[in-house]
Amino acid sequence: MSNPYISRAARLLAAPAIVALIIAFYSRWFSVNNTTVALTLLLAILGISTWWGLLEATIASLIAVVGFNYYFLPPVGTLAVQDPQNWVALIAFLVTAVTASQLSVRAKRRTQEAVERRREVEGLYALSQTLLLSGSARTASQDLVSRVVKILGVSTAAFHTRSGDETFRWGPENPLISDEQLQADREEPLIDAPKGFAIIPVRLGGQALGNLGLAGPLPSEAVLNAVAYLVAIGIERARSMEEASHAEAERKSEVLKSALLDALAHDFRTPLTSVKAAVTSLLGRERPDEDRELLTIINEEADRLNRLVAEVLEMVRIEAGKLHPEKHPHDVAEIVHSALAELEPALHDRPVEVRLQDGLPQAEVDFDFVLQVLKQLLDNALKYSPLRSPLTVSARAGEGRIVISVADRGSGIPEAEQMRVFDKFFRAREHRFRVPGTGMGLAIAKGIVEAHGGKIWVTSEPGQGSVFSFSLPVYRGEMVK
Amino acid sequence: MSAGKILVVDDDPQIRRVMRATLVAHKYEVIEARNGEDALARISAEMPDLVLLDMNMPGIGGLETCRHLRSGSDVSIIVLSVRNSEKDKVAALDAGADDYITKPFGMEELLARIRAALRRSPSSPESGPHTLATRDLQIDFDTRRIHVKGKETRLTPKEFDLLRYLVSQAGKPVPHRELLQAVWGPDYGDEPEYLRVFINQLRKKIEPDPAKPRYILTEPWVGYRFAAT
């Protein structure tokens, strides 16, 4: 497009020229009555107002009134008007010309506005399609800024996402859309039409998703708000789709882990089952003593291998986050007595003192898992304290937790090793070759306790003994005393 | 004369070999199936007294096989599984198994369980009731027939034995251990989950409203009691 000022000036000169041409035509070459002249002039002025504008039409109207008076109204050749009726005609002409011009200009403006509205709606529709077809929140943001530039006809668009703390830009850099402006926490849109920039907050349901910055010729505020709303919906939709596919991937990998663990358990235990069944079958028959001794060794080692497999699987399960305790309210006394009953053969020559606080609330735990922890601690206490030395099992409640402790009168654990006894495969230096074990028992106990949201710890005085304690959640339906 | 016919269902050939060698040595007749489909195909032709059923098998798997077996037969089913969580045990019992052994196991234990499973209480014991009739429940213990609201209902042998024992002690609370030993055998007593599952199934079959039992009542901390009135 050429310079708008020049074309405007040309039109301002052309409008009176057209009027002059009509007047010259009728006064010099083609004589008609005055009404025909006036109507022709009126038509020309209407055309000017429709195509060019109100100012052009108004100037043309004034020139037409003067020219018509001078060349056609008697006395012809002067600006005087003889017949007062002609004054009325002249004024009527002027009023008609100007009013009709105004009406036609207004109609033209309405049409233009309607066209603009249609374009804006088309733009918004195109934008919404773009946003709804984008795969991820990131590509949606990238598409969005380029589309906004193309569809709204602005020169620069930028979008800053709050969740990703990332800015996407399209179009030439514009200092008015600075990073600070985009990252600011704003409630209301900032629209500066004269400077040609706007920063609009993108929100959905009261939650701020980020800011959209635009520079260049701006559409109306209504359109800007609609764009911001569309962007919010598009980004949110892309984000929730991403989340859904993440969750699906996560679920699939969890299923895979579980399947792998199951396969592992099955594959290790199947040959062990044959070995164990075969050897116990042989042990069930009459055998010479030396055979019996050897078969017993096979049997015991099969058991040991099975325990090892169980421990390794449990460790893997804990580390894979696949330990899912099924928590129900249980009496701590029941857990303690079950553990003592199951270890009865090993405990028979040990005095065991059980000290349970009166009115203990129920614990919300997986009975079997916690039983396993307690048995592990009792087993350790048996292994690492002198024969026939007493053990104490105690339980007390406080601060929404129940703490169960197992105390022995063993040699204790040096301070440097106290932190490490719960590490996987850690074996105390002193006992490494003397006491059988895999170094997984306490690590598994720790995993189980932590899966219940509890803690496990040890206090020990070298030479005096050790106290292993763990905390468990109190069943919520109960009052903590 | 064989001590009983046992169908061994396991996909591992070595386990089937050990089972066959041991069970045959103990005078059992042994037939084998490599998977669930195979087991279901053989059951009607072979009519075994007992099925040793592996859980983890390719194809339809142990649980599904158990359900199918139970839907068409009263045969005793002992499930053998590498899993030992209570959830897995309950699932197997719910699917119709009578007993559950965790792999690996000692052969003596398995043999004891097999003997217990095959030891059906005689159909008309000297002591105990012969019939029971209430408004909507009729039981004939001699013919092992039971009618609920006039309709004949099928109980598995274990369910039937459990019901008969409770009825024989009607009105008295029967402790868990006593009930387990009376129905499963003297080696049992620490399997409260067995009772939970079987009592549940019994209630579903004979109670007008299993959620609010009228006949088989729970005695908290003790056991169960049959209320005949």
Side-chain angles (χ1 to χ4, degrees):
Chain A
M1 232 184 0
S2 58
N3 192 327
Y5 296 105
I6 293 176
S7 63
R8 187 78 201 264
R11 292 203 307 263
L12 286 173
L13 289 176
I18 289 171
V19 171
L21 210 66
I22 293 168
I23 291 171
F25 177 75
Y26 282 128
S27 61
R28 292 283 165 93
W29 302 297
F30 197 78
S31 248
V32 290
N33 66 30
N34 288 352
T35 315
T36 307
V37 177
L39 283 175
T40 309
L41 285 170
L42 204 57
L43 265 178
I45 289 162
L46 272 177
I48 288 167
S49 71
T50 305
W51 305 120
W52 291 348
L54 190 56
L55 186 60
E56 288 87 343
T58 310
I59 291 170
S61 304
L62 290 172
I63 300 291
V65 166
V66 173
F68 186 60
N69 179 9
Y70 190 85
Y71 289 102
F72 298 98
L73 291 186
V76 175
T78 67
L79 283 178
V81 177
Q82 207 172 35
D83 187 348
Q85 275 186 33
N86 283 337
W87 272 117
V88 176
L90 260 186
I91 290 167
F93 177 85
L94 185 63
V95 169
T96 309
V98 172
T99 310
S101 298
Q102 270 180 337
L103 285 175
S104 110
V105 165
R106 203 176 293 163
K108 187 183 157 195
R109 203 189 300 137
R110 287 270 183 282
T111 314
Q112 255 173 1
E113 276 174 2
V115 170
E116 264 170 41
R117 286 291 96 79
R118 207 191 72 219
R119 272 208 205 107
E120 283 174 355
V121 169
E122 278 171 1
L124 288 175
Y125 177 68
L127 187 62
S128 72
Q129 280 206 316
T130 308
L131 286 168
L132 291 183
L133 292 177
S134 300
S136 71
R138 223 170 166 276
T139 51
S141 308
Q142 262 157 355
D143 281 359
L144 145 82
V145 284
S146 64
R147 284 298 171 137
V148 163
V149 167
K150 207 191 251 170
I151 292 165
L152 296 183
V154 294
S155 58
T156 300
F159 178 61
H160 175 259
T161 65
R162 178 161 293 209
S163 61
D165 193 19
E166 210 175 344
T167 304
F168 302 90
R169 286 176 182 276
W170 191 263
E173 283 285 321
N174 190 315
L176 291 170
I177 315 173
S178 62
D179 283 345
E180 295 80 70
Q181 287 278 32
L182 285 171
Q183 286 163 18
D185 196 2
R186 63 178 73 244
E187 289 279 321
E188 294 295 320
L190 167 69
I191 300 174
D192 192 333
K195 280 191 190 160
F197 85 100
I199 310 283
I200 315 146
V202 174
R203 313 174 70 90
L204 195 67
Q207 193 203 347
L209 302 178
N211 288 320
L212 179 69
L214 300 173
L218 293 177
S220 68
E221 187 174 343
V223 170
L224 288 177
N225 286 332
V227 167
Y229 191 57
L230 271 182
V231 168
I233 290 174
I235 298 281
E236 196 52 27
R237 183 196 138 280
R239 207 183 53 76
S240 64
M241 264 180 62
E242 246 174 358
E243 251 170 36
S245 66
H246 268 234
E248 176 62 17
E250 191 104 315
R251 198 187 61 76
K252 275 193 183 147
S253 106
E254 287 291 291
V255 168
L256 194 67
K257 263 190 213 164
S258 292
L260 253 168
L261 282 172
D262 271 359
L264 214 61
H266 182 253
D267 290 355
F268 274 113
R269 286 201 170 116
T270 300
L272 271 172
T273 303
S274 305
V275 172
K276 175 86 182 166
V279 76
T280 50
S281 184
L282 285 174
L283 275 169
R285 300 174 192 178
E286 284 299 316
R287 287 272 149 199
D289 277 355
E290 62 269 32
D291 279 12
R292 184 158 285 278
E293 171 68 2
L294 295 176
L295 291 169
T296 306
I297 291 170
I298 298 178
N299 188 28
E300 285 172 2
E301 293 307 289
D303 286 344
R304 190 164 139 200
L305 212 48
N306 187 43
R307 277 198 304 276
L308 261 170
V309 168
E311 280 189 355
V312 170
L313 280 172
E314 197 136 52
M315 202 66 239
V316 172
R317 207 160 266 152
I318 287 169
E319 290 188 338
K322 298 297 309 173
L323 196 73
H324 300 305
E326 281 177 29
K327 296 186 207 168
H328 298 289
H330 288 287
D331 284 327
V332 173
E334 199 189 337
I335 301 172
V336 170
H337 288 128
S338 297
L340 293 174
E342 288 192 24
L343 290 176
E344 174 68 47
L347 285 166
H348 71 277
D349 60 348
R350 294 283 191 129
V352 180
E353 191 190 346
V354 178
R355 268 189 287 179
L356 305 179
Q357 186 186 339
D358 284 339
L360 264 184
Q362 284 188 307
E364 192 171 17
V365 294
D366 185 310
F367 189 93
D368 291 335
F369 277 139
V370 172
L371 185 65
Q372 189 186 340
V373 172
L374 189 55
K375 275 161 64 184
Q376 180 66 50
L377 296 186
L378 283 166
D379 193 50
N380 275 22
L382 282 173
K383 278 194 213 161
Y384 296 104
S385 63
L387 289 175
R388 283 181 280 283
S389 67
L391 304 178
T392 307
V393 182
S394 57
R396 61 179 196 281
E399 291 166 9
R401 308 250 126 205
I402 296 171
V403 176
I404 302 177
S405 302
V406 175
D408 65 52
R409 302 262 177 91
S411 56
I413 303 166
E415 206 172 333
E417 292 187 347
Q418 284 180 19
M419 295 296 288
R420 298 180 51 206
V421 291
F422 298 105
D423 290 352
K424 192 173 41 169
F425 305 129
F426 175 78
R427 305 286 321 276
R429 185 184 298 268
E430 192 189 335
H431 305 292
R432 202 163 292 165
F433 305 105
R434 205 165 54 77
V435 181
T438 56
M440 280 188 287
L442 283 178
I444 290 169
K446 181 169 183 250
I448 292 174
V449 169
E450 284 174 355
H452 281 83
K455 279 203 188 98
I456 188 163
W457 66 93
V458 61
T459 50
S460 181
E461 192 75 33
Q464 301 293 304
S466 309
V467 183
F468 280 85
S469 308
F470 61 100
S471 61
L472 296 172
V474 165
Y475 173 51
R476 278 190 297 276
E478 294 244 345
M479 291 287 289
V480 187
K481 290 190 186 152
Chain B
M1 161 86 194
S2 98
K5 196 187 221 180
I6 299 179
L7 173 62
V8 176
V9 190
D10 203 310
D11 59 325
D12 188 74
Q14 295 292 68
I15 290 181
R16 293 202 305 271
R17 266 172 78 191
V18 177
M19 294 293 204
R20 174 178 284 283
T22 307
L23 294 174
V24 167
H26 284 84
K27 305 277 182 289
Y28 291 104
E29 189 184 337
V30 175
I31 44 178
E32 297 175 23
R34 279 170 299 134
N35 53 44
E37 289 87 342
D38 202 7
L40 293 174
R42 311 205 67 173
I43 188 97
S44 50
E46 300 280 359
M47 298 286 279
D49 302 302
L50 183 130
V51 179
L52 293 179
L53 181 62
D54 180 32
M55 275 286 105
N56 197 330
M57 288 185 295
I60 62 171
L63 268 189
E64 205 47 42
T65 308
C66 192
R67 240 172 250 132
H68 279 291
L69 285 174
R70 184 48 82 221
S71 71
S73 147
D74 287 346
V75 67
S76 292
I77 303 172
I78 300 179
V79 159
L80 311 179
S81 169
V82 294
R83 293 150 163 265
N84 68 346
S85 79
E86 188 175 325
K87 205 168 71 189
D88 292 306
K89 285 181 197 168
V90 169
L93 297 175
D94 255 338
D98 298 294
D99 206 347
Y100 188 103
I101 301 182
T102 309
K103 286 177 173 179
F105 46 80
M107 208 37 114
E108 287 305 319
E109 189 191 356
L110 180 67
L111 290 169
R113 303 262 190 142
I114 291 173
R115 280 194 298 274
L118 290 176
R119 179 192 58 91
R120 288 275 162 82
S121 28
S123 56
S124 55
E126 300 295 303
S127 60
H130 292 277
T131 56
L132 175 94
T134 68
R135 193 155 46 88
D136 42 20
L137 179 64
Q138 284 85 40
I139 311 170
D140 185 332
F141 289 104
D142 298 336
T143 58
R144 299 180 85 98
R145 288 163 87 90
I146 174 164
H147 288 81
V148 180
K149 287 186 177 158
K151 235 178 78 193
E152 177 152 12
T153 303
R154 273 187 48 192
L155 298 187
T156 69
K158 279 277 176 283
E159 287 164 2
F160 193 85
D161 293 348
L162 193 60
L163 181 61
R164 177 162 56 192
Y165 194 80
L166 284 170
V167 172
S168 75
Q169 310 288 314
K172 281 192 291 186
V174 184
H176 296 131
R177 180 171 287 272
E178 180 185 333
L179 203 48
L180 279 163
Q181 291 180 345
V183 176
W184 274 268
D187 295 335
Y188 293 77
D190 293 321
E191 298 85 1
E193 67 272 15
Y194 281 33
L195 290 179
R196 268 209 314 279
V197 170
F198 280 90
I199 293 282
N200 246 334
Q201 283 165 349
L202 259 184
R203 279 177 177 158
K204 268 187 225 153
K205 288 184 180 177
I206 71 165
E207 294 282 359
D209 178 4
K212 294 192 197 99
R214 215 170 71 197
Y215 299 114
I216 304 174
L217 308 179
T218 303
E219 290 283 332
W221 302 103
V222 182
Y224 297 94
R225 175 167 62 91
F226 189 85
T229 46

